[in-house]
Amino acid sequence: MENNKSFAEFMNESTVPQKQSSEMTMMEIYVDMVLNEILVRHRKEQLVSAINEALDNKDQDAFMKCSAELNTLEDTHGV
């Protein structure tokens, strides 16, 4: 299984320092929402792939770790 970073690390590295919400235009808010949605969906795809690989390899530790992260992601973002 690949050495994937946690979702929180992934999001922190991929985001650019943001303006205060009161200074953001509607277009900036929309673009931010779309980009975040893309990142969340991509991470979900990575986790599902890692879970399938862990099942194929009978790697219980990797399965539990990835499943827990996927559950957290789904609970947090409703994906």
Side-chain angles (χ1 to χ4, degrees):
M1 183 178 84
E2 296 177 8
N3 184 11
N4 290 326
K5 296 178 181 179
S6 74
F7 180 72
E9 291 171 330
F10 180 74
M11 290 296 287
N12 285 337
E13 288 181 0
S14 63
T15 55
V16 178
Q18 305 239 341
K19 298 178 186 178
Q20 294 293 334
S21 61
S22 62
E23 297 175 6
M24 293 178 75
T25 66
M26 288 303 292
M27 184 59 79
E28 289 172 320
I29 292 170
Y30 179 72
V31 168
D32 187 56
M33 289 171 53
V34 170
L35 290 175
N36 283 332
E37 180 68 18
I38 291 168
L39 290 172
V40 168
R41 287 178 187 248
H42 179 69
R43 185 62 182 149
K44 181 179 177 183
E45 290 172 7
Q46 287 179 323
L47 288 168
V48 168
S49 178
I51 289 168
N52 288 333
E53 186 176 334
L55 287 171
D56 290 343
N57 296 329
K58 296 179 172 59
D59 184 347
Q60 184 177 2
D61 292 333
F63 172 80
M64 296 303 290
K65 179 183 172 195
C66 293
S67 295
E69 187 176 343
L70 180 60
N71 287 335
T72 300
L73 180 68
E74 289 177 339
D75 289 345
T76 305
H77 296 280
V79 177

